[in-house]
Amino acid sequence: MCGIVGYVGKNCCADILVDALSKLEYRGYDSAGIAVFTENGIQITKSKGRLADLSAKMNAEGKPQGTVGIGHTRWATHGEPSDTNSHPHRGGANVTIVHNGIIENYKQLKEFLIAQGRSFVSETDTEVMAQLLDFYYDGNPVQTIARAMQEVSGSFALGILFTDFPGTIYAVRRESPLIVGVGEAESFIASDVPAILKYTAQYYLLEHDEIAVLTEQGVSFCDMQANTIRKELLTADWDMDAAEKQGYEHFMLKEIHEQPESIKRTVMPRVENGLPDLHECGITPETLRQFRNIYIVACGTAMHAGMVGKYVIEKLARVPVIVDIASEFRYREPLIGEGDLIIIISQSGETADSLAAMRLAKKLGAKTLAVVNAKGSSVAREADMLIYTHAGPEIAVASTKAYMVQISVMYLFAFELALAKGQIDEAECRRLTALLMETPQYITDILAHKETVEAMAKPLLDAESLLYIGRGLDYALSMEGSLKLKEISYIHSEAYAAGELKHGTISLIYKGMPVIAVDTQKKLHEKTVSNIKEVKARGAVTFLVCGESYQPDSDIADYCFRLPEIDDLLMPMLAVVPLQLIAYYAAVQRGNDVDKPRNLAKSVTVE
Ligand code: M6R
């Protein structure tokens, strides 16, 4: 997703903007640019490609000299990645902007502006916004922004320079996130905290339809009627180390290794006397007893965490759970209302589909519970109840530690719900909670054997397509393993319920096709083994992830990774680790950009 930065201070703005943008690279982008107030007016440098291409262009054309400016990494939506479509965009003589999100009614606005005699150089909705601001410009920037905002719909954030105000950056947001950082005689705008952490840990969260005004003297905020707004100054609770690779080759590998600590940070504070205690999140046994049905709504990896949640909640608490893809949920007129609980799981808390699903659920009278990693994000702020996952910043596009803490929360929630509903007794709840707290040590042990997984991934170098199979919780895991592999290795793969293969998909198996089987559920073991034999008999090369008590014969597994065993119910916490590592090593050996896979964005704030 696009990244916005801005700097007002005493230092060389171009260097700071490029450095800050580099901290937003994880969001995914295909072009970058900056605009700086110089002695000769606003100088724009922009380029298709990576930040290195932008820097090369600046070196060739001359670095803009100035101390106030805005910058952008673009993830193309309206128009192909190109120098022309890159941001910043000018809107006539008065306005230069960077933009994240979508101006939904840009076509109508463009027609209107063309009718007023304006012409456009790019295909972007951003240039339409820039021209609209210029069209309404009356010498008063705040008034101009407020006027233009009346005309636009969509979710977006903007960083704006007005030519007549060379020492000032203006910013406004509607839905899309934007923060305003404050340091010593300098201030910043950014789409996310990592961009400014090197300079300051203190920031304000710009809210919906608020305008920020940044000068060297400080920052101020107002609403669309120009009324001053006082805001709470926040302090980022993680430091630069959390946003750096710290010796790991990739953020993804670092984040895989951070999983034990992330679980501890997420689980330990929610356990009292050996039992889960979520009352600080607004959840008590009384509230839990009210709910008839649970819906878990999310996207991608977060949705897969919901799949684990479904199995665990239904098994322990005997409450029906429907897991929905957020983009489907909102358009299928869901049968929800009072007495239903909607759990929204999201790392970023800004995923447009998940946010919209949550708003719909609220409107229909259901209670909403957010399981979110990003502090102060939109999903976190709007939910009725909130459980923060404490994964820390997740930089790699492929989600790993966020998934781990999402499923940890699913367990805690299921344990407390099952106890509240009288489906398990205190002793069983204590036993399960204690096991959950032991998982970090098991994961550390698994990570000590990551070379075994690396060797397992070698045969995938030339694979064109493969299958993940499993039953029950192992099927939920297969879905996550398959997504992880797809997104970073670009190898086509599908996850299948192992028992479903014979109903059609088994016809895809050819000699040498890799099949990754997850087999951690003892009750289902014999059945899963039969399904593995079916694919093996048809020539598949099999990779087995199973518990250590199982010693597979060669007619079952060509490659095997054996996991320490805990209660079957908790095996996903362990089994996902080799699946993450298989995807990671497959992507590394194929020479892919692991942390920034093609076409993907970390936070998907468009529908
Ligand atoms: O920020 P969210 O958790 O709401 O994001 C949801 C998905 O976009 C995300 O999990 C995506 O599937 C990941 N890239 C998967 O690794």
Side-chain angles (χ1 to χ4, degrees), residues 299-302 345-351 354 397-399 406 480 483-484 487 600-604:
C299 305
T301 285
I345 307 178
S346 176
Q347 188 285 128
S348 63
E350 299 293 349
T351 302
S354 305
V397 166
S399 182
Q406 286 162 353
E480 176 55 10
L483 176 66
K484 214 86 305 172
E487 67 178 330
L600 290 178
K602 181 67 183 163
S603 167
V604 185

Side-chain angles (χ1 to χ4, degrees), residues 43 67 169 228 287 309-310 381 418 422 478 483 508 542 571 592:
Q43 183 178 330
T67 59
I169 295 177
T228 301
T287 34
K310 171 186 167 72
R381 280 179 293 134
S478 299
L483 176 66
L508 290 177
T542 51
M571 283 305 278
N592 296 350

Side-chain angles (χ1 to χ4, degrees), residues 367-433:
K367 279 268 176 277
T368 54
L369 163 63
V371 178
V372 170
N373 197 45
K375 309 274 169 324
S377 57
S378 303
V379 173
R381 280 179 293 134
E382 292 186 31
D384 298 314
M385 295 168 281
L386 169 65
I387 306 179
Y388 273 127
T389 52
H390 297 300
E394 191 179 61
I395 306 290
V397 166
S399 182
T400 53
K401 61 176 180 171
Y403 172 86
M404 187 62 91
V405 288
Q406 286 162 353
I407 62 174
S408 306
V409 165
M410 289 292 98
Y411 283 106
L412 272 182
F413 177 83
F415 299 164
E416 181 153 358
L417 179 68
L419 187 63
K421 293 263 184 189
Q423 294 292 338
I424 58 172
D425 60 19
E426 250 191 52
E428 176 63 355
C429 195
R430 268 182 218 287
R431 182 185 77 84
L432 290 167
T433 308

Side-chain angles (χ1 to χ4, degrees), residues 129 132-133 136 138 140-152 160 162 172 174 209 211 222-226:
M129 187 67 203
L132 190 73
L133 284 161
Y136 285 120
D138 60 2
N140 179 331
V142 166
Q143 217 165 275
T144 303
I145 294 169
R147 178 66 191 91
M149 289 288 281
Q150 286 174 15
E151 302 300 327
V152 285
I160 310 168
F162 287 91
V172 65
R174 183 171 288 167
D209 278 5
I211 297 171
C222 65
D223 63 17
M224 292 293 149
Q225 286 72 46

